[in-house]
């Protein structure tokens, strides 16, 4: 049997200046920036990415783990993941996992493409061929009123087919309540609404606002606290009548284990481009399932994470229970050219998104398509 060995790894630092800044309770985004990585093996190319610290991840990939995995069997992503984590064994921090995530995503993608099957099939087969979605917005604004235009923005999402939203809150207590009142007044009680505090609250403030949320029927409240405040999450998780969601900032399955063991989470949100890639996402998903918790991928940044996450979300069984179906798939509804690398993302008229059954993630990408956004490139190969 011929082994499809890894021949080449390319890194693309991509950037896109945003026409309008977006804000949450702690950050303002003026550009989108990510590291997109391709892995070539067996005559095919697979794609991965990471986004939180793209330059640091590139340094780790080109200087350390990239050269070490050249020649490795791309049809064995778990074995390569094991060799990468051993190589970086002194450091289990976020940046280590970001670098591993980008490579591991690309390796799984190329492994599936070599076998001419979708990533979901390569992982055992999709359980769902389409998924419910939510529009991940509106965001806060940078002007004098951070909460401006949220109602008309939601009207725009609904006109595009979305039937659930997740707005950013946490800038001001009274304004949080006021905008939720406006949303319920305008759209009624049936619109599924989630809220994201983006790590912006103290334990005290989180307790205050979570105490008010049951009146608004919020589906889940995301990241009220900083991601490593396990005690704080445990306290909120056992007290809050509104389910708490978190996980996008955690790297490695053991960090998820700690929060889940503390009864802190009702919804588990790994980011495949940060948590350790497809390999680690699968472990986290199994951990969530073992605890009866919905696992909902965090999706931000570019089409690469969108396409990969869609394949992974399709592996989860439909949640049993009342109300809005879980798992639900996060879609960035804001203007973002890096989310359109594979064409515009569209939802069906019932708010669902179809899961592609094409080779790999189904994303059609090459260096030329990335070139308008590519600020720098590097590679390692077997020459
Ligand atoms: Mg979030």
């Amino acid at each position: 049997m011929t082994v499809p060995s890894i021949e080449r790894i390319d890194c693309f630092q991509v950037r896109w200046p945003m026409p309008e800044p977006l804000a949450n309770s702690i950050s303002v985004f003026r550009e989108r920036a990510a590291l997109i990585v391709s892995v070539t093996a067996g005559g095919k190319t697979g794609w991965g990415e990471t986004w939180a610290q793209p330059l640091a991840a590139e340094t780790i990939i080109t200087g350390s783990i990239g050269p070490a995995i050249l020649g490795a069997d791309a049809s064995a992503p778990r074995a390569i993941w094991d060799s990468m984590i051993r190589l970086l064994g002194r450091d289990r921090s976020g940046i280590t996992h970001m670098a591993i995530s980008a490579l591991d995503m690309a390796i799984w993608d190329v492994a599936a493409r070599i076998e001419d099957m979708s990533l979901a099939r390569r992982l055992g087969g999709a359980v769902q061929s389409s998924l419910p979605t939510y529009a991940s917005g509106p965001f806060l604004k940078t002007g004098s009123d951070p909460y401006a235009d949220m109602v008309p923005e939601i009207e725009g999402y609904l006109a595009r087919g979305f039937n659930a939203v997740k707005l950013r809150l946490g800038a001001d207590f009274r304004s949080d309540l006021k905008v939720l009142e406006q949303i319920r007044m305008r759209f009624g009680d049936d619109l599924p609404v989630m809220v994201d505090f983006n790590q912006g609250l103290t334990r005290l403030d989180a307790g205050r606002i979570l105490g008010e949320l049951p009146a608004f029927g919020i589906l889940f409240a995301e990241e009220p606290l900083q991601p490593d405040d396990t005690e704080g999450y445990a306290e909120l998780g056992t007290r809050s009548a509104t389910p708490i969601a978190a996980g996008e900032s955690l790297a490695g399955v053991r960090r998820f284990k700690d929060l889940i063991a503390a009864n802190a989470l009702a919804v588990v949100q790994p980011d495949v481009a940060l948590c350790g890639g497809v390999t680690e996402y699968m472990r986290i998903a199994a951990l969530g399932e073992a605890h009866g918790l919905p696992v909902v991928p965090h999706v931000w940044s570019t089409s690469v994470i969108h396409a990969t996450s869609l394949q992974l979300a399709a592996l989860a069984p439909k949640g049993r229970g009342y109300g809005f179906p879980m798992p639900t798939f996060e879609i960035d509804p804001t203007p973002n050219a890096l989310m359109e690398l594979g064409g515009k993302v569209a939802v069906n008229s019932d708010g669902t998104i179809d899961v592609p059954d094409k080779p790999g993630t189904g994303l059609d990408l090459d260096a030329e398509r990335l070139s308008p956004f590519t600020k720098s490139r590097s590679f390692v190969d077997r020459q």
Side-chain angles (χ1 to χ4, degrees):
M1 195 177 85
T2 314
V3 169
S5 57
I6 295 177
E7 298 292 335
R8 181 180 165 110
I9 297 163
D10 285 86
C11 293
F12 303 81
Q13 291 288 346
V14 295
R15 290 213 174 89
W16 181 68
M18 296 155 58
E20 296 274 339
L22 296 176
N24 62 35
S25 67
I26 58 163
S27 305
V28 175
F29 303 100
R30 299 184 190 282
E31 66 166 17
R32 301 295 190 125
L35 174 70
I36 293 182
V37 171
S38 70
V39 167
T40 303
K44 303 283 183 185
T45 298
W47 296 89
E49 79 156 286
T50 193
W51 55 268
Q53 295 295 334
L55 285 168
E58 182 183 10
T59 300
I60 293 173
I61 290 170
T62 57
S64 172
I65 47 178
I69 64 169
L70 287 173
D73 177 1
S75 67
R78 291 177 70 98
I80 299 175
W81 193 98
D82 192 55
S83 69
M84 291 194 287
I85 202 77
R86 281 169 190 271
L87 197 63
L88 300 175
R90 302 260 176 251
D91 175 31
R92 297 294 172 95
S93 72
I95 291 172
T96 298
H97 277 79
M98 288 171 207
I100 289 178
S101 296
L103 282 173
D104 182 80
M105 288 167 74
I107 294 164
W108 274 105
D109 186 25
V110 77
R113 287 176 196 259
I114 288 166
E115 293 180 27
D116 202 28
M117 61 172 66
S118 71
L119 176 60
R121 279 189 194 279
R122 182 66 166 70
L123 293 166
V127 177
Q128 305 192 60
S129 58
S130 68
L131 293 163
T133 70
Y134 67 90
S136 193
F139 280 74
L140 296 170
K141 309 294 181 302
T142 52
S144 57
D145 178 9
Y147 295 81
D149 298 329
M150 283 197 170
V151 166
E153 281 177 40
I154 293 173
E155 285 169 347
Y157 301 155
L158 300 185
R160 288 163 59 186
F162 289 107
N163 56 14
V165 300
K166 183 176 83 188
L167 55 150
R168 302 312 190 273
L169 294 181
D172 177 75
F173 180 76
R174 286 188 185 284
S175 301
D176 280 357
L177 298 181
K178 195 170 151 198
V179 78
L180 289 172
E181 278 165 19
Q182 290 168 346
I183 288 168
R184 284 297 177 222
M185 286 275 286
R186 171 65 184 81
F187 302 104
D189 290 336
D190 292 338
L191 177 70
V193 175
M194 293 147 263
V195 297
D196 190 347
F197 295 101
N198 297 99
Q199 314 172 7
L201 304 179
T202 61
R203 290 187 192 179
L204 189 66
D205 282 343
R208 277 181 76 201
I209 192 71
L210 283 164
E212 303 287 341
L213 290 187
F216 301 101
I218 301 302
L219 202 61
F220 65 67
E222 183 171 317
E223 273 202 316
L225 304 173
Q226 294 186 44
D228 53 357
D229 185 5
T230 306
E231 278 178 5
Y233 272 104
E235 197 182 304
L236 287 183
T238 47
R239 248 180 34 201
S240 172
T242 300
I244 306 286
E248 67 183 73
S249 308
L250 302 180
V253 67
R254 291 187 189 91
R255 302 296 307 283
F256 286 84
K257 184 261 294 175
D258 293 344
L259 272 185
I260 289 172
N263 284 326
L265 296 187
V267 179
V268 185
Q269 293 177 301
D271 183 315
V272 67
L274 306 182
C275 75
V278 171
T279 300
E280 198 75 338
Y281 183 101
M282 298 285 284
R283 295 184 184 122
I284 294 160
L287 181 71
E289 194 168 334
H291 288 83
L293 300 172
V295 178
V296 177
H298 175 252
V299 187
W300 169 256
S301 191
T302 85
S303 302
V304 179
I305 180 175
H306 171 91
T308 311
S309 301
L310 198 45
Q311 296 289 310
L312 294 172
L315 301 174
K318 264 187 195 159
R320 297 186 179 90
Y322 307 118
F324 193 69
M326 286 282 187
T328 177
F329 193 74
E330 177 171 26
I331 292 185
D332 177 1
T334 68
N336 179 1
L338 295 180
M339 264 298 171
E340 297 181 3
L341 295 171
K344 275 196 187 304
V345 175
V347 294
N348 302 319
S349 57
D350 63 354
T352 61
I353 188 167
D354 296 326
V355 180
D357 189 14
K358 297 174 180 171
T361 62
L363 181 65
D364 188 12
L365 199 56
D366 54 36
E368 198 177 326
R369 197 168 286 199
L370 288 176
S371 66
F373 314 104
T374 301
K375 297 301 170 197
S376 66
R377 280 186 68 168
S378 60
F379 69 93
V380 291
D381 67 7
R382 297 186 76 188
Q383 302 305 312

